[in-house]
Amino acid sequence: MQLPVELQLDALFDFEQQLQALLDGEQYELFQQQQDLFSDQIKALLDTNSSEDLAVVVEQLKILEAKIAALQIKSDTCYQQLKEKSLLQKRNKSKIKAYK
């Protein structure tokens, strides 16, 4: 038996908050794994509910869409920072080797 669309949406909002917390806690690997599961749950919500059911919660879907966009921006920023930090560490390592 399928949960009502409102309960499914509530679960997705909770999940989005958990993903935010993972990024805030710098748990990037777990974030990536959970992000895939989150994506699957969103797809399931859209695939298993009728257009009529989804029309009733269109405003909540728009809010969720905005939260996901903000989460993506935050994720991209964290990724870029990690990339830069890694590059800096590689450069420092090369400098240390050069001094030896």
Side-chain angles (χ1 to χ4, degrees), residues 35-91:
Q35 185 181 24
D36 292 340
L37 183 58
F38 183 61
S39 177
D40 292 344
Q41 288 185 3
I42 291 172
K43 184 174 179 351
L45 172 86
L46 297 174
D47 290 347
T48 60
N49 290 286
S50 68
S51 298
E52 294 80 19
D53 289 342
L54 293 173
V56 172
V57 293
V58 72
E59 289 304 315
Q60 288 110 327
L61 288 170
K62 288 180 181 180
I63 292 168
L64 183 61
E65 181 180 36
K67 287 181 174 266
I68 291 169
L71 184 64
Q72 186 62 49
I73 290 169
K74 188 174 185 177
S75 172
D76 290 345
T77 301
C78 289
Y79 172 76
Q80 192 61 36
Q81 289 172 343
L82 284 174
K83 192 175 171 182
E84 290 170 7
K85 191 183 290 186
S86 175
L87 185 58
L88 183 60
Q89 287 176 343
K90 286 180 184 177
R91 287 181 185 153

